[in-house]
Amino acid sequence: MAKASRKLNLALQGGGAHGAFTWGVLDRLLEEDDLEFAAISGTSAGAMNAVVMAEGLLEGDRAFARAQLESFWLGMAAAGEKLAPFRALPWFKLIEGFVYEASIAYTRMFSPYDFSTADTNPLRQALNALIDFERVRKNRKIKLFINTTHVATGGLRCWREHELTVEMVLASACLPSLFHTPMIEGEGYWDGGYIANPALEPMLRCTNSDDVLIVQLNPIVRTALPKRANDIVDRLSEISFNASLITELRFIAERNRLIDAGELSAERHRKTHLHMIHGDQELGQLPASSKLLADRDFLLKLRDLGRVAASEWLEAHSDHIGKRSTFNYRKMVAALTQESDETPSEAALLNRD
């Protein structure tokens, strides 16, 4: 007897090359024939993964979607010299294990406009070669939410599948210190991580699935005090890129609490089941500069870590989809919004009591 379909909404964080961890997670989830993906909200590298996976499913099947993800990420590795602002030379790999700390480019001393007036973002060519955006725009099977930051207002602009173009995906991944700002209808847009990493509520309002699986790339808790200049900038970036997600989790936690307490009608309001796959232990040990590393061996290592993390999550929580949340989001929100005196480790935050 065939298993009943289990519906999931996917929320994919941005994280540059660390998005290869998400590649591994998706690669493993696509092996589960009874998992149905209702909607995907993606930011930056998460947007890339979202569009590549969705288009692969539309054009073929799960095997083809997996092949498309592999083609995209290995294509990024092949174009690594053009993608990265500097290369990880062999002696860097030996001495610093893929660390880019000594790079002048990484210290953000320059603007991309200082070097060229032309937009030569190699991601454009890679996406156009792999993705049939016309097919994506005609898609009615998987809802897409590609998150960008509107430069002029600092607000969220969430692009949907029926309007999606390559410029919108590039905008979602545009770090303005590295790439020219994509212009859409005369307006500039930057990386969605500044305002939504990724956005949950727009997706929840437009789907009939109550389960959201977040693939978390940015470490939430770091116990070591950053003192080096790059470490300080990196931690500021992590805090900024997690802030919007924590705010949304707080809102969902409160709504769920009010529904449980009978203060909101369960007939008019739906509880959200929250799930999370994270690479906190592995990715948290890497310097943030490694997010710029488009190295084949490095990306494959992250993919394998993502597959393992997804397998562990499926083994522990597969049967809970559609029934309950599988990590202690209430404890996380309380700890991170000063509603609790406790400062738990990230591992403690992400495990359900």
Side-chain angles (χ1 to χ4, degrees):
M1 187 177 189
K3 289 184 179 179
S5 177
R6 297 170 294 167
K7 286 188 177 181
L8 274 179
N9 298 312
L10 299 177
L12 311 181
Q13 269 205 334
H18 291 187
F21 177 90
T22 304
W23 164 29
V25 170
L26 299 177
D27 189 66
R28 177 64 186 88
L29 294 179
L30 285 165
E31 293 178 345
E32 299 291 306
D33 292 335
D34 62 323
L35 276 183
E36 181 181 342
F37 307 104
I40 311 175
S41 179
T43 295
S44 195
M48 305 286 177
N49 279 317
V51 172
V52 173
M53 173 179 164
E55 197 268 353
L57 288 171
L58 294 169
E59 189 172 342
D61 54 16
R62 291 168 184 267
F64 186 74
R66 294 177 64 200
Q68 287 287 81
L69 285 165
E70 180 175 359
S71 294
F72 174 76
W73 283 100
L74 295 187
M76 291 301 96
E81 292 188 4
K82 296 180 180 179
L83 262 178
F86 54 92
R87 288 189 299 160
L89 298 175
W91 51 88
F92 275 5
K93 294 183 182 182
L94 290 173
I95 297 172
E96 299 193 51
F98 301 125
V99 179
Y100 283 165
E101 304 301 337
S103 166
I104 293 178
Y106 188 66
T107 62
R108 303 165 175 83
M109 293 175 62
F110 301 104
S111 160
Y113 297 91
D114 292 336
F115 299 101
S116 173
T117 58
D119 182 3
T120 57
N121 190 337
L123 281 170
R124 176 179 284 102
Q125 181 179 354
L127 287 168
N128 280 328
L130 197 64
I131 302 299
D132 183 343
F133 280 92
E134 184 176 356
R135 182 189 295 274
V136 173
R137 287 191 292 271
K138 293 178 179 178
N139 156 45
R140 294 298 180 267
K141 294 182 179 179
I142 301 176
K143 295 180 172 65
L144 290 175
F145 302 80
I146 303 303
N147 307 295
T148 63
T149 301
H150 185 219
V151 179
T153 63
L156 170 66
R157 179 56 164 98
C158 191
W159 305 96
R160 294 298 309 279
E161 66 280 354
H162 61 272
E163 60 186 340
L164 202 60
T165 66
V166 68
E167 292 300 320
M168 296 167 187
V169 182
L170 291 174
S172 184
C174 177
L175 294 175
S177 59
L178 298 180
F179 300 114
H180 284 214
T181 300
M183 303 298 293
I184 304 169
E185 299 176 354
E187 300 287 337
Y189 294 89
W190 285 343
D191 193 304
Y194 296 116
I195 195 69
N197 198 21
L200 304 183
E201 280 301 312
M203 179 170 62
L204 288 169
R205 289 195 298 266
C206 297
T207 178
N208 60 3
S209 172
D210 298 326
D211 289 73
V212 177
L213 173 58
I214 303 164
V215 182
Q216 175 84 17
L217 298 182
N218 294 298
I220 296 174
V221 175
R222 283 194 185 272
T223 56
L225 181 67
K227 295 183 178 179
R228 294 189 301 174
N230 281 340
D231 293 338
I232 292 170
V233 172
D234 292 342
R235 187 55 185 152
L236 283 170
S237 177
E238 287 175 346
I239 291 169
S240 173
F241 275 36
N242 278 326
S244 60
L245 177 61
I246 292 167
T247 298
E248 286 207 82
L249 290 178
R250 184 180 189 182
F251 176 82
I252 292 171
E254 179 62 11
R255 183 173 60 205
N256 283 352
R257 185 192 69 79
L258 291 172
I259 293 172
D260 287 339
E263 297 179 45
L264 282 178
S265 168
E267 295 180 356
R268 297 182 59 186
H269 301 274
R270 293 155 44 196
K271 282 191 65 174
T272 302
H273 304 135
L274 292 167
H275 315 279
M276 184 176 284
I277 294 176
H278 55 89
D280 61 315
Q281 293 184 356
E282 294 83 4
L283 299 182
Q285 293 175 2
L286 298 171
S289 54
S290 64
K291 294 177 181 179
L292 302 177
L293 179 56
D295 177 90
R296 180 186 175 93
D297 291 341
F298 181 63
L299 297 180
L300 289 173
K301 176 183 177 181
L302 293 183
R303 178 205 61 185
D304 292 344
L305 289 173
R307 281 188 55 85
V308 170
S311 292
E312 291 175 349
W313 183 83
L314 285 166
E315 183 176 356
H317 302 299
S318 181
D319 293 339
H320 301 147
I321 298 174
K323 300 176 182 177
R324 65 172 176 84
S325 297
T326 57
F327 78 101
N328 198 330
Y329 62 93
R330 288 189 172 117
K331 184 176 182 180
M332 173 187 287
V333 167
L336 298 176
T337 56
Q338 296 185 342
E339 295 171 6
S340 169
D341 294 332
E342 185 179 6
T343 307
S345 67
E346 183 163 30
L349 286 175
L350 298 176
N351 290 326
R352 186 181 178 89
D353 286 343

